[in-house]
Amino acid sequence: MNDVVLEVATLTKAFGGVNAISNLSFETRRGEILGVIGPNGSGKTTLFNVITGVLPASAGKVRFCGEAITGLSTDTISQRGLIRTFQSATVFKNETVYENIRRGSMFGCIGKPSWFFRPGVVANGKRTAKETVAELLEFSGLSDLATRIAGTLPYGKQKMLGVVIALARRPLQLLMDEPAAGLNPTETVAMGELVTQIRDKREIDVVLVEHDMKMVTAVCDRILALNYGKAIAIDIPERIVRHPEVIDAYLGVDHE
Amino acid sequence: MKFVWKYVVILALLAVAPFFVLPPFLTHIGVMIGIYTTLALSMNLMLRIGQISFAHGAFMGLGAYGSALMMMRLDLPFTVAFLAAALGVALLALLVGSLFLRIRGVYFVLLTFAFGEIIVLTFIEWVSLFGGSGGLPGVPPPSLFGYAIGSREGFYLLSLGLAAFAFALVRTIYGTELGAVITSLDEDEALTRSLGIDSRRYRLLTFCVSAFLAGMGGALYGHYLTLVTPEDYGFWVPVNLVMMNVIGGIAQPIGAVLGALLLVPLPELLRDAKQYQMLLYGIVLILFLLFMPDGMHGLFSKLKGHLARRELSR
């Protein structure tokens, strides 16, 4: 069981009487890109919100690298190395691209005000941040835009930057919430390549919530299909796309 | 270092002004500007985290009553009473902040407003300690290193020193990683938290530092007027402080200074037309919000940019 990274066990999230997530169990393995698909309202974003502590779980457990993280705050979970990206382009809009990535790197070192008193924290953090920004600008191809104000970038670049900020935090695992939503076909392909490279070159595990089936089947090792907060199937892409229940719930209805 | 020298020169010029050029009345306005600059900077910190605090009148009042009472009742020296009062206010902010700061937006404003009213009511009703609506008369003058500072010029220097300290503190905060965190919290809290920032503690720290400055400003205000009365610390204090920031420009600490510089003299100059004062305030505020949302500082920056471009195009 050493290669299990994220473990979700009988997780339930209820809003009033409705279960957005219902008795859900799955796990991700080291080096894996796991896709999560499902129709709108099937509980994908709720799942991320519960895993990252934005919403409290109603029942069940989440373990990360063998340790329970249920009930911990978002920032504590982030400090453990589990970082998310957001469905909409989420960047510091008034800051430069450079500053956005720098904050991503720096904020890990100063999670609480008292950490400023740890010797060398700020100096070391700044040095690391400088290296990280340079490396990630190169990695993501955003170098030419480094001095641009993030809010003035085209939407696709902003979403790309959102992912890069999270990478600057040096996650062990990245939870990506619909990185291709709102992107044009070219940008979607580029985003797919970025996701693959995040795993291959940076050795970061990825959980990918996505609607774009072409991208999901292309980059994911396994896919978890959700409907009404329940797992219908978890399998390799080739089998998921032929799974009768998945076709019924999702592909059949949503596929143009 | 260049920027430090600029401020040292400005500060030195301001410091000697009352002894050479300023008439007593303007020296008095200078004292008030210094105190209100400190308070406006304290509010600027709250605006930076996107939470307008209406508790700042109470914080100012607690600083004033606290410092005065500690000198009068406990015979503590000024420096001790002054700092203890401000620290006490910061401590109170720590306590109430850990509850209040969970709440955002207009609810936070209402909550802090109610808190402020409760404190002012306490000043009025607890007669044996705070002296009731008549207030505390005969607040002793400050003394530093054994010298009593009773003169207007002495207060002017103290007030200038306090404002300079507040300005340096706020500027330093904004210029460091702490400032980046605080700004990020207002820009996008969800993103900031997901990057590992404990937003509650940072908001609490900001609230405490802000309350500390408000407490110091209030303490000096009480010693200067030699009379501490409850009505000075009500609802209008935070309103004025927010106005100073809006008119000066909330994006930079210098905006708070500009706002205090412009708004503090108004009531003093309009003493004979007090009924028009609020009307004028209202009109000025509406004009700024509509046409100069970045305040005077924003206007200066634009003018500077405009001039620079003209210079280039020549």
Side-chain angles (χ1 to χ4, degrees), chain A residues 136-156:
Chain A
L136 281 175
L137 280 173
E138 165 99 40
F139 173 76
S140 62
L142 290 172
S143 297
D144 296 341
L145 303 171
T147 55
R148 284 274 296 274
I149 299 295
T152 67
L153 295 179
Y155 191 74

Side-chain angles (χ1 to χ4, degrees), chain B residues 46-173:
Chain B
M46 294 310 294
L47 294 169
R48 212 24 108 90
I49 57 167
Q51 287 182 297
I52 293 179
S53 157
F54 268 55
H56 272 54
F59 289 154
M60 183 189 176
L62 286 165
Y65 277 103
S67 186
L69 282 171
M70 275 188 273
M71 275 185 89
M72 292 161 77
R73 297 274 174 96
L74 304 176
D75 282 329
L76 290 174
F78 166 74
T79 32
V80 177
F82 178 80
L83 284 176
L87 283 173
V89 173
L91 195 68
L92 180 70
L94 183 71
L95 290 175
V96 297
S98 45
L99 278 173
F100 290 1
L101 289 165
R102 293 163 196 264
I103 292 155
R104 296 289 149 76
V106 75
Y107 299 102
F108 179 78
V109 177
L110 285 176
L111 205 61
T112 48
F113 169 71
F115 171 79
E117 292 300 298
I118 290 169
I119 296 292
V120 170
L121 261 175
T122 312
F123 291 154
I124 296 171
E125 298 298 328
W126 193 343
V127 180
S128 61
L129 185 64
F130 297 116
S133 31
L136 281 182
V139 179
S143 59
L144 274 182
F145 315 112
Y147 295 99
I149 300 167
S151 71
R152 192 169 277 158
E153 285 73 23
F155 268 108
Y156 176 90
L157 289 180
L158 266 187
S159 170
L160 183 66
L162 181 62
F165 164 75
F167 184 71
L169 179 71
V170 173
R171 234 195 105 112
T172 307
I173 289 176

Side-chain angles (χ1 to χ4, degrees), chain A residues 1-254:
Chain A
M1 290 294 281
N2 253 345
D3 59 347
V4 172
V5 181
L6 180 71
E7 190 187 349
V8 171
T10 62
L11 191 71
T12 298
K13 175 65 196 175
F15 292 107
V18 184
N19 281 349
I21 299 170
S22 177
N23 207 20
L24 178 65
S25 300
F26 70 91
E27 55 193 42
T28 72
R29 296 166 195 153
R30 187 91 196 98
E32 178 178 60
I33 300 178
L34 178 77
V36 180
I37 60 167
N40 285 326
S42 62
K44 303 184 299 292
T45 298
T46 306
L47 175 65
F48 272 14
N49 282 337
V50 175
I51 292 175
T52 55
V54 174
L55 297 171
S58 306
K61 274 245 170 334
V62 181
R63 266 182 287 271
F64 182 63
C65 298
E67 286 175 54
I69 57 167
T70 351
L72 297 182
S73 64
T74 304
D75 52 284
T76 313
I77 292 170
S78 166
Q79 294 291 351
R80 299 266 174 104
L82 184 59
I83 318 283
R84 73 172 296 179
T85 68
F86 296 83
Q87 197 172 335
S88 56
T90 303
V91 297
F92 299 116
K93 289 196 163 51
N94 303 324
E95 313 295 337
T96 60
V97 169
Y98 186 98
E99 176 64 11
N100 266 276
I101 307 173
R102 201 193 67 83
R103 286 186 187 178
S105 173
M106 195 67 207
F107 283 1
C109 318
I110 48 175
K112 295 187 195 309
S114 57
W115 295 7
F116 275 95
F117 297 106
R118 295 177 180 178
V121 153
V122 175
N124 290 340
K126 278 186 175 168
R127 198 174 327 117
T128 314
K130 208 173 166 188
E131 289 162 13
T132 308
V133 175
E135 182 204 350
L136 281 175
L137 280 173
E138 165 99 40
F139 173 76
S140 62
L142 290 172
S143 297
D144 296 341
L145 303 171
T147 55
R148 284 274 296 274
I149 299 295
T152 67
L153 295 179
Y155 191 74
K157 296 289 180 199
Q158 286 192 37
K159 284 208 79 159
M160 181 85 82
L161 178 59
V163 175
V164 176
I165 296 170
L167 287 178
R169 221 2 228 94
R170 300 189 178 275
L172 297 172
Q173 185 169 44
L174 195 60
L175 304 179
M176 304 178 78
D177 196 354
E178 299 199 27
L183 301 192
N184 68 34
T186 329
E187 289 168 335
T188 305
V189 171
M191 185 60 83
E193 275 167 21
L194 183 71
V195 174
T196 314
Q197 286 191 351
I198 287 170
R199 193 263 315 268
D200 294 350
K201 293 202 178 147
R202 306 191 72 82
E203 300 182 339
I204 296 165
D205 298 345
V206 177
V207 179
L208 178 70
V209 162
E210 189 48 69
H211 268 304
D212 189 296
M213 279 310 286
K214 226 156 89 190
M215 175 172 163
V216 178
T217 48
V219 306
C220 295
D221 302 307
R222 289 190 307 153
I223 295 175
L224 165 69
L226 292 180
N227 198 19
Y228 296 112
K230 290 192 181 106
I232 316 176
I234 180 163
D235 214 330
I236 56 168
E238 291 73 21
R239 282 206 283 270
I240 283 285
V241 293
R242 291 199 200 87
H243 196 289
E245 260 187 90
V246 176
I247 293 170
D248 213 31
Y250 186 57
L251 301 174
V253 193
D254 218 54

